[in-house]
Amino acid sequence: MSDPAGLAVPAPPARFNFARHLFELNAGRAAQIAFIDDAGRLSYGELEHRARRCAAALLGSGLRREERVLLALHDCSDFPVAFLGALYAGVVPVAVNTLLSADDYAYMLAHCRAQAVLTSAPLMPVMQAAITAGGREVRALVVSRGSDLPAGALAFDDWIAAQPPLAAAADTAADEIAFWLYSSGSTGRPKGTAHTHANPYWTAELYGRRTLGLRADDLCFSAAKLFFAYGLGNSLSFPLSVGATVLLMAERPTPAAIFRRWLEHRPTVFFGAPTGYAGLLAAPELPARDAVALRLCSSAGEALPREIGERFAAHFGIDVIDGIGSTEMLHIFLSNRPGDVRYGSSGKPVAGYDIELRDEAGQPVTAAGHIGELCIRGPSSALMYWQDRVRSDATFQGAWTRSGDKYEIDADGYYIYSGRSDDMLKVSGQYVSPFEVEATLVQHPAVLEAALIGVIDPNGLTRPKAYVVLKERGQASAALATELQQFVKARLAPHKYPREVEFLDELPKTATGKIQRFRLRERARQA
């Protein structure tokens, strides 16, 4: 696509390497700070130097072009060094959630056939368990910012220091696979979503630069981590495309941690999710308007409730730019924008993307107020789900990508979120499969059956609620409910645990034995 929607946006050349592109854009900014993390600062010149050393280290460890390297790294400057180093070498980084179980990592290692693993020191025990469980051998196990490393593991700094910077970037194509991100589906294992070198170029140009208007003098700070598609744009491709500085935070994005950085570092742009904004507004230590330097805030991951957006804008005097994106499209394609915000909506299509609502027969829904499935056409779409033709065909249909989200358009052309097409829940901006949580709950010795639904809290955000049938009904208690929550937390990623547990004598089912979740949703609404 040479010029999406007539925007006069130059397309990348046919031979294009995104890491080289960023380094060339910032060739005159060698002394300017690119990243600030918990350990210090990294200039643009140092970023390129270390990334090119990382590229050489990957090749020196025996990795070949197009082979995969698993990145399970907390947010620090080693992440962009590793990510861009892999792109520069023509090796494919697979960025994964740092909150997963050993079983999840074992699956991903086998699925992507990673030849090396780059991970943070606190994740070493679970990563070693994953490697052992999968029976895999990797050519390099490299640890960021750790000491007392286990046998066979290499320190990241030592590993890259042993190699001179790679002289030239791999001669990759714009449409060549550059990196993977894993996207969860409604059933089954996560999907390896393959993106090209051109895809982050387009999201940076169409959304970061032309929609948000990011500038070289901005300090960008994202609560969403780099392993998310949203965070990868916020903290890497967007700011580096305009020469801005990025503030990274390894710890969980609690209100206290965010406020501390707002006050100490004074970022000008903040990226968060609706759950996070609700938590910030509820925190007693919420800073005053004149204590922060924010000029722009962004929200994605789930629909931003009108009340949260309006309260934040009233307190800080700046709007929250809410939009919707996806792992499949890499970043936001439907958004409000500075100077044109309608809270309670996801805004209008980002220039360069076409949006259609379609009914169950696949026909366009054009009348205002009628609900259809959101479908997107644009230059940042992923190529496929790796080794998954069935789900690829269901999602990537010609030039169009099905989102699985239901929307309607109001009389003024703003898109209003209406829910998911299936039973998937989106919690804190991340998908939760009811089946996965239910399957975990029934592993508890006291549980006979379980069903998970999403309930809307007073802030308009989705919270998982579990309905549980016990083997012995007399065991029901508040203590057991807490025990079940902890049971799920110990086995799945933390955001997946049910925030409420209610005990029932039986679950509502169809004549064929299928759980009627709509009846449970009705019960929750009436409670």
Side-chain angles (χ1 to χ4, degrees):
M1 185 174 294
S2 60
D3 184 10
L7 293 175
V9 178
R15 309 306 300 178
F16 180 75
N17 182 290
F18 185 66
R20 179 178 57 201
H21 167 70
L22 292 180
F23 298 154
E24 290 174 350
L25 281 179
N26 295 294
R29 298 189 177 98
Q32 183 173 318
I33 299 302
F35 290 96
I36 303 170
D37 67 11
D38 300 332
R41 296 170 178 244
L42 188 73
S43 70
Y44 272 96
E46 292 167 332
L47 171 65
E48 178 179 352
H49 185 76
R50 284 174 62 82
R52 289 171 57 196
R53 281 186 178 273
C54 180
L58 286 165
L59 299 178
S61 295
L63 274 78
R64 296 169 296 184
R65 182 164 161 179
E66 299 182 4
E67 288 186 325
R68 269 76 65 191
V69 53
L70 196 79
L71 301 189
L73 290 165
H74 289 147
D75 276 24
C76 68
S77 63
D78 285 348
F79 188 113
V81 167
F83 188 87
L84 294 176
L87 296 189
Y88 198 81
V91 173
V92 177
V94 180
V96 297
N97 193 324
T98 58
L99 301 173
L100 301 180
S101 67
D103 178 65
D104 291 324
Y105 291 132
Y107 167 76
M108 291 173 176
L109 283 166
H111 181 246
C112 75
R113 298 195 298 276
Q115 300 300 308
V117 174
L118 275 57
T119 191
S120 295
L123 302 177
M124 270 299 294
V126 67
M127 193 58 65
Q128 284 184 295
I131 293 171
T132 300
R136 287 189 55 78
E137 293 185 5
V138 295
R139 296 174 185 170
L141 175 58
V142 185
V143 183
S144 167
R145 303 186 181 183
S147 57
D148 300 323
L149 302 181
L154 303 168
F156 185 79
D157 285 343
D158 295 340
W159 181 63
I160 65 172
Q163 299 284 345
L166 190 64
D171 182 27
T172 51
D175 289 336
E176 185 172 324
I177 293 176
F179 60 95
W180 293 16
L181 300 170
Y182 271 98
S183 175
S184 296
S186 57
T187 59
R189 289 290 197 173
K191 305 182 289 290
T193 311
H195 280 283
T196 70
H197 279 270
N199 286 359
Y201 168 86
W202 285 117
T203 59
E205 286 294 321
L206 298 179
Y207 193 70
R209 187 191 297 266
R210 284 168 170 75
T211 301
L212 293 183
L214 296 184
R215 309 185 306 235
D217 61 350
D218 277 321
L219 175 57
C220 299
F221 176 36
S222 175
K225 301 299 185 183
L226 277 158
F227 59 75
F228 290 120
Y230 181 45
L232 188 66
N234 303 341
S235 295
L236 197 152
S237 57
F238 292 2
L240 297 191
S241 291
V242 298
T245 301
V246 182
L247 178 62
L248 296 176
M249 176 177 71
E251 65 184 295
R252 290 180 55 248
T254 62
I258 290 170
F259 294 155
R260 185 164 64 253
R261 286 162 178 82
W262 281 3
L263 298 176
E264 291 178 5
H265 294 281
R266 298 182 63 78
T268 58
V269 181
F270 177 71
F271 301 86
T275 305
Y277 283 108
L280 297 176
L281 290 170
E285 64 271 35
L286 182 70
R289 177 186 300 191
D290 59 4
V292 301
L294 297 173
R295 73 168 187 85
L296 178 69
C297 287
S298 166
S299 179
E302 55 188 329
L304 180 72
R306 179 192 303 271
E307 187 262 347
I308 292 176
E310 290 176 344
R311 283 175 54 205
F312 191 94
H315 182 85
F316 286 107
I318 56 173
D319 281 316
V320 180
I321 309 302
D322 183 36
I324 179 176
S326 69
T327 303
E328 290 76 9
M329 295 302 297
L330 189 57
H331 213 276
I332 292 171
F333 47 79
L334 178 64
S335 184
N336 289 272
R337 59 210 67 211
D340 183 13
V341 173
R342 178 168 295 190
Y343 289 117
S345 84
S346 296
K348 297 180 178 181
V350 171
Y353 292 89
D354 297 318
I355 303 292
E356 278 189 2
L357 300 185
R358 296 179 181 173
D359 61 21
E360 293 182 359
Q363 298 303 306
V365 175
T366 56
H370 289 250
I371 295 174
E373 181 182 0
L374 189 72
C375 297
I376 316 101
R377 180 172 61 189
S380 63
S381 174
L383 294 177
M384 62 179 168
Y385 299 132
W386 185 261
Q387 292 184 346
D388 198 334
R389 180 180 290 274
V390 171
R391 290 195 289 183
S392 291
D393 288 348
T395 298
F396 305 107
Q397 301 186 342
W400 292 88
T401 299
R402 296 178 59 189
S403 72
D405 291 300
K406 296 289 191 181
Y407 267 83
E408 61 180 282
I409 309 175
D410 70 11
D412 297 320
Y414 292 86
Y415 284 71
I416 312 298
Y417 180 69
S418 300
R420 289 289 296 168
S421 300
D422 49 30
D423 285 323
M424 284 292 291
L425 310 181
K426 212 168 190 183
V427 180
S428 299
Q430 304 178 68
Y431 287 124
V432 175
S433 166
F435 176 82
E436 184 181 25
V437 179
E438 293 158 5
T440 302
L441 282 167
V442 298
Q443 295 175 28
H444 191 281
V447 175
L448 177 64
E449 294 181 300
L452 192 82
I453 64 166
V455 298
I456 307 300
D457 71 11
N459 288 317
L461 302 176
T462 300
R463 294 287 182 267
K465 178 173 182 176
Y467 288 93
V468 173
V469 177
L470 298 174
K471 295 176 181 176
E472 297 180 18
R473 296 175 183 176
Q475 289 183 307
S477 66
L480 180 56
T482 301
E483 181 180 331
L484 293 176
Q485 290 174 314
Q486 296 301 321
F487 184 83
V488 174
K489 272 188 178 182
R491 288 159 177 78
L492 300 178
H495 67 278
K496 297 180 179 180
Y497 86 96
R499 306 310 193 266
E500 295 180 65
V501 175
E502 182 175 339
F503 298 103
L504 299 178
D505 289 341
E506 62 181 4
L507 297 175
K509 297 178 182 177
T510 66
T512 57
K514 293 182 180 180
I515 297 172
Q516 295 176 311
R517 287 189 177 82
F518 74 93
R519 295 196 181 278
L520 295 175
R521 296 188 189 101
E522 290 173 355
R523 179 187 180 94
R525 285 195 294 268
Q526 295 169 1

